[in-house]
Amino acid sequence: LLGTITACSSESTVIGNVKVSNVVTSDCKTSVSKKDTRPEYLTDFYSTKTTLSMLMGNDNTVTAQFLDVMDNCAIGQLNVDVSCSENKIVIILYPDRDMYTNCVCMYDVNFKIRNLLFGNYLIEIYQTTSNKQTSSSNRIYQGSVTLESNKTLTLTMTR
């Protein structure tokens, strides 16, 4: 028999494991190269902050989107892992593969988080290499959030 697992929440409701689904990465929206000769364009590009918007639905599903994620131009797909324990959500954003090129692209990443209850959470977000190893050096957000039904929450990453 499979045991039931308590969802990450401030309540003791049992609904199952938190799961990520429907992860879709956009094509490269815009890119820069180290050889680019437009200094103002480079400054604008690198000053753009990634944002994460999260809309909590009535069905314990969060529809989420990272906007303007910077990564290598040859990464393939960006993936998202989410875990939740004791009111702490950890999101890891990572590429299919690590490639070295002279080009950096901006991508958008859409995904859903299922079986997450509304409430107050500490959230940590990491952008890692394909090995998914987290550390303070690749943490791009840390803070407290409140997920409310049918309300969009927007977070700006620190890098």
Side-chain angles (χ1 to χ4, degrees), residues 30-142:
T30 185
S31 64
V32 296
S33 165
K34 290 180 181 177
K35 297 178 182 179
D36 201 304
T37 58
R38 302 167 292 172
E40 59 285 335
Y41 178 71
L42 286 170
T43 301
D44 287 347
F45 185 91
Y46 285 110
S47 66
T48 302
K49 299 276 188 184
T50 300
T51 60
L52 172 62
S53 64
M54 302 171 73
L55 172 62
M56 176 59 119
N58 290 328
D59 60 351
N60 297 319
T61 298
V62 174
T63 301
Q65 180 182 46
F66 280 107
L67 287 175
D68 300 329
V69 176
M70 282 185 230
D71 212 316
N72 195 298
C73 290
I75 57 155
Q77 170 86 13
L78 284 162
N79 299 297
V80 179
D81 277 356
V82 177
S83 62
C84 191
S85 177
E86 298 177 13
N87 296 336
K88 180 179 176 183
I89 300 169
V90 176
I91 299 174
I92 302 173
L93 180 63
Y94 64 97
D96 272 348
R97 61 183 179 263
D98 298 317
M99 302 286 290
Y100 178 75
T101 66
N102 276 338
C103 179
V104 175
C105 280
M106 271 195 207
Y107 303 93
D108 293 340
V109 182
N110 297 302
F111 60 102
K112 292 185 184 275
I113 306 170
R114 300 191 187 285
N115 300 329
L116 189 63
L117 299 177
F118 59 89
N120 298 315
Y121 296 93
L122 173 63
I123 188 169
E124 291 182 359
I125 303 171
Y126 298 87
Q127 185 174 359
T128 70
T129 59
S130 62
N131 68 13
K132 300 191 282 182
Q133 297 299 308
T134 60
S135 69
S136 60
S137 66
N138 59 20
R139 184 174 50 226
I140 59 174
Y141 187 87
Q142 181 176 18

